[in-house]
Amino acid sequence: MKNTFGQSIAVTLFGESHGPAVGVVIDGLAPGIPVDINVIEQNLLRRRPSSVIDTPRREKDDFKILSGVFNGFTTGTPICITIPNENTKSSDYHYGVARPSHADYSAFCKYHGYEDYRGGGHFSGRITAGLVAAGGILIPALEKIGVTIGTHILKCGIAEGRAFNNVEEDIAFLKKNEFPILDNSDFAKKVISQINTAREQNDSIGGITQTAVCGLAPGLGEPWFDSMESMISHAVFSLGGVKGIEFGLGFSFAASKGSECNDPFRVIDGKVVCETNNNGGINGGITNGMPILFQCAIKPTPSISQEQKSVNFCTSENVDISISGRHDPAIIRRICPVIDSVTAIVICDMLAQRYGTDVMLKGVLPCNMD
């Protein structure tokens, strides 16, 4: 099993949903990067269940930093963060019957019955708490060099909000807004209504998120296998709920003409910019200086209490299953800070590969230096 992502700056995840703890190791960060405990707590709070539209499982996420931070700054050695699991209910889980659209059967095939099946084990969304804790360090570090990241709910069921417009202002708004939407309209009420309806029907619902990255200089990424799209997709698809990703116009390009969707270049105030951003800030796998924009399709949570067809893979019998336990009727809200965090991991790693790990200390990207 490979649980590490990144080259110059890497993160390793560990733990299981019902084990003693989950956590993350961050390796490769330069010494001297500020670490604010309150920011990590706030990032975890954005992911934490908080209402009837979330799972009833409530964890306090009382994390501990075991290494790599001293007197409020990174030391340059591996940072290890543990987050205890204190509210588990393992009796809800029984081995052998595959929950539809879960990893139970595929995990059995790979790990031959030795996997921890409680709460989904290492496949659980609980593991993303480690990613969000890492984001609590990496996102502020990026902000200090002028790079900001934001993710919002674009669609949930039939409820649809607006896309990014003035990206920098929208990201700033998201940082202040408890619910990850771009305005104070009734869209949040519509999203909550869609989720509550699914919950009342013992069902679940999916949606679409949109993410923006502002402040990246042009020239970041590689033209082929380590393109910016490739690396972001690699990290984002590590999240079990993500089943699709598109950059800029994405699949809408298929019904467009080049004359309609090409991004014209202009020089404004001595800087090369694009009049439109249909390509989502990336050309040839490399940033062009415009905001990176991408959308993710989030599938409905597979744990529903309606009766479904399944199999018992231990006895090779067909069975019916009605899933009990504590589950989210939708993860569209809670996955937004997770996407922010994995995006930050990608950006930090690619910056470090191009400019060296000390780039996180300079306060300005090298491409913008006089």
Side-chain angles (χ1 to χ4, degrees), residues 154-167:
L154 185 61
K155 188 173 182 179
C156 179
I158 62 172
E160 188 166 357
R162 73 169 178 87
F164 280 111
N165 183 11
N166 188 321
V167 182

Side-chain angles (χ1 to χ4, degrees), residues 43-365:
N43 216 35
L44 286 167
L45 181 62
R46 292 176 59 218
R47 177 199 167 277
R48 192 173 305 152
S50 60
S51 70
V52 293
I53 67 170
D54 304 317
T55 174
R57 178 180 176 180
R58 302 288 192 261
E59 293 282 2
K60 294 183 292 184
D61 293 339
D62 289 331
F63 67 93
K64 292 183 179 180
I65 300 178
L66 302 185
S67 64
V69 177
F70 184 66
N71 288 335
F73 293 90
T74 58
T75 64
T77 58
I79 299 170
C80 180
I81 304 175
T82 62
I83 308 167
N85 294 322
E86 299 176 319
N87 186 11
T88 59
K89 192 178 177 184
S90 300
S91 60
D92 286 335
Y93 299 89
H94 306 282
Y95 192 68
V97 177
R99 296 170 296 168
S101 291
H102 272 283
D104 299 333
Y105 175 66
S106 54
F108 165 74
C109 294
K110 182 173 179 64
Y111 300 112
H112 314 301
Y114 292 99
E115 68 277 5
D116 184 345
Y117 62 90
R118 301 168 301 168
H122 194 64
F123 297 90
S124 170
R126 174 65 181 156
I127 311 303
T128 64
L131 292 170
V132 173
I137 297 175
L138 300 179
I139 292 173
L142 286 171
E143 290 174 350
K144 287 184 178 297
I145 60 173
V147 178
T148 56
I149 302 171
T151 300
H152 70 99
I153 300 171
L154 185 61
K155 188 173 182 179
C156 179
I158 62 172
E160 188 166 357
R162 73 169 178 87
F164 280 111
N165 183 11
N166 188 321
V167 182
E168 291 185 10
E169 290 183 5
D170 285 341
I171 291 176
F173 178 83
L174 285 171
K175 287 184 65 67
K176 300 175 183 178
N177 206 19
E178 292 184 6
F179 205 82
I181 60 171
L182 286 181
D183 52 49
N184 289 315
S185 69
D186 60 353
F187 178 52
K189 294 179 181 178
K190 293 179 180 178
V191 170
I192 292 171
S193 175
Q194 290 283 296
I195 298 173
N196 271 329
T197 298
R199 179 180 60 84
E200 291 165 359
Q201 295 172 347
N202 297 320
D203 213 333
S204 61
I205 197 166
I208 298 174
T209 62
Q210 186 183 38
T211 302
V213 183
C214 268
L216 281 179
L220 190 64
E222 303 298 332
W224 289 103
F225 303 113
D226 288 349
S227 72
M228 182 59 74
E229 294 110 324
S230 300
M231 300 312 295
I232 290 176
S233 299
H234 183 167
V236 169
F237 272 128
S238 300
L239 309 177
V242 175
K243 300 304 287 185
I245 189 168
E246 60 178 3
F247 290 82
L249 287 184
F251 285 97
S252 295
F253 277 118
S256 302
K257 296 178 180 179
S259 58
E260 299 170 330
C261 61
N262 285 345
D263 297 317
F265 286 107
R266 306 301 293 167
V267 175
I268 299 178
D269 297 328
K271 182 180 179 181
V272 175
V273 299
C274 295
E275 288 187 337
T276 56
N277 193 20
N278 295 322
N279 285 277
I282 303 169
N283 296 135
I286 300 169
T287 57
N288 62 17
M290 298 295 288
I292 294 175
L293 293 173
F294 63 91
Q295 293 76 239
C296 295
I298 311 301
K299 74 176 184 178
T301 317
S303 291
I304 60 175
S305 55
Q306 291 186 23
E307 189 172 273
Q308 302 175 83
K309 294 179 180 180
S310 187
V311 298
N312 186 316
F313 50 76
C314 292
T315 63
S316 296
E317 295 176 307
N318 292 322
V319 297
D320 292 329
I321 181 175
S322 178
I323 299 173
S324 60
R326 302 170 295 173
H327 308 285
D328 294 271
I331 61 170
I332 190 72
R333 179 190 72 83
R334 297 179 61 207
I335 204 171
C336 288
V338 184
I339 294 174
D340 283 348
S341 297
V342 296
T343 303
I345 293 166
V346 173
I347 300 301
C348 287
D349 185 35
M350 297 190 79
L351 283 170
Q353 289 183 58
R354 180 167 173 80
Y355 302 119
T357 54
D358 281 356
V359 68
M360 308 301 292
L361 299 171
K362 296 183 184 300
V364 64
L365 292 182

